[in-house]
Amino acid sequence: MESNEPTQPSGASKPSAASTPPAPRLPRKGEEVEVVVRSLGERGHALAEIGGRTLRLKGAAPGDRVRARVLRRGRRGLEAKLLERLEAGAHAADPRCPHAGTCGGCSFQAVAYPAQLEAKGRWIEEALAGSGLAEKPAVAAVLGMDDPWRYRNKMDFSFASRRWVEESEPEGVDASFALGLHVPGRWDKVLDVYACRIAFPEAETLVNTIRRLAREQGLEPWDVHAAAGLLRHLVVRKGFRTGEILVDLVTDALAPERIEPLVAGLLEAHPEVTTVVQGVSSRAAKVALHEEERVHHGSGVIREELAGRTFEISATSFFQTNTEQAERLVGVIAEEAGLREGERLLDLYCGAGTLGLCLAGSSAHELLGFEVIEPAVLDARRNASANGVTNARFEVGDVRDVLVAQAHGELPRPDVVVVDPPRAGLHPDVPPALAGLGALRVLYVSCSPRNAVGDLLRLEELGWRTVAARPVDLFPHTPHTECVFTLEPR
Ligand SMILES: C[S@@+](CC[C@H](N)C(=O)[O-])C[C@H]1O[C@@H](n2cnc3c(N)ncnc32)[C@H](O)[C@@H]1O
């Protein structure tokens, strides 16, 4: 939790009591304060200390002296809005995106990349230190990117009938149409996104063209209050290694007479788009779902290459959003797995089979993957045959149910298990079943190391020890980190 984090940078010593100036009093809501940022918090804030409390704000780096206005004062500390960076510290950077500070997607654009990596590694160390684990692994340096920009191969934008209006805009400005990203904390308001420096370059031009065409053609954006409107989401994906681009329009109804002119205009302006898909979703979901799908142009899928394999990605299937770093992640997992000829790999929460197919293949005797989403399993099977992998089997199944079945001896004993669950971590029934599989190694891949440590502790109680923690930065400028934990039986 951010409010529990130390506000001293790692390695900094505390001033002696004699030299400590009196702590400034606790400021009130609305008051302007001047503080020096001490560290970064796991929820994307810069942290400072004032009046004996932690003050959180966005848009500053450790060492910066800033002026800020207090927005909230609560038991967990103070929240403030940055007004001015008075003095840049050693870790300051200039945000590259014009929406930095409003969009909320990249809370660390004002922080130099090495300091982001240092903070991400420290959070994992702190999570392990507070985990209760008897044996804690050393945390390896976070593997970062050489150029941490334009890395995302997928962007998911929302249409809305209420646009977020910037303070700089004149009063009464038209705010009845938006296509972009939700402003943090505002489920009903969307910021018109014109530029995004972490997305692939074509994502910017595509979002702007579709906004222009939709407005010219009088297509209604989704109104969350009325739960009505035609246009709901726009998802754009690119295969970095193939150049293929997918556009997915999620609408409330098929409405071909209204969507076809939009698609025609899009393809005229962007011949680089290789496939256009329309998904219909009538549910009040914040994410792009398809209850029905229509392919307007191309094959309906794009291909991406990773670790020498080719993957087909459909509009809704999960694929790691940072291709370059996903390859590094696969490299780390492969090193830790140390699969030998004839060994059997179990890939749990396998998605479209990316990790298992990159690791196994010729050397592993058998690859078995389980995933709860059926279309992803179909992708995984297609990906296996497209890559000539004949020793792989992918099945639809909830990991919890699969492992309970394993307890009854229905599955062959794996040598190595890769577990890559969603952010929340494992279902409480999974660690005991996992511990009883008789594997030689378990590679726990987590996009939320803070949540994963609870599962590591549970596995330790069941006779497993965590011997390595190797983080990879898949999400530069955001507070998220991927980490590979290696476990062995004690
Ligand atoms: C973080 S993704 C990992 C995907 C894959 N390993 C990869 O790297 O591409 C987690 C996956 O777990 C799946 N999932 C979520 N809950 C599940 C469950 N209870 N049983 C099986 N799969 C589940 C999700 O659909 C998603 O594909």
Side-chain angles (χ1 to χ4, degrees), residues 318 320 349-351 354-355 370-373 397-399 420-422:
F318 178 90
Q320 300 286 351
Y349 307 90
C350 67
T354 324
L355 300 180
F370 287 96
E371 158 66 46
V372 79
I373 307 279
D398 184 313
V399 164
D420 185 9

Side-chain angles (χ1 to χ4, degrees), residues 348 403 406 413-414 417 419 426 429-440 442 455 458-465 487-490:
L348 298 176
L403 294 187
Q406 168 65 7
R413 188 192 66 80
V417 185
V419 236
L426 303 175
D429 292 345
V430 170
L434 191 58
L437 284 176
L440 305 172
V442 169
D455 293 329
R458 189 83 186 88
L459 285 161
E460 185 175 76
E461 289 161 0
L462 293 158
W464 286 70
R465 58 194 191 110
L487 294 106
E488 289 174 358
R490 223 186 273 125

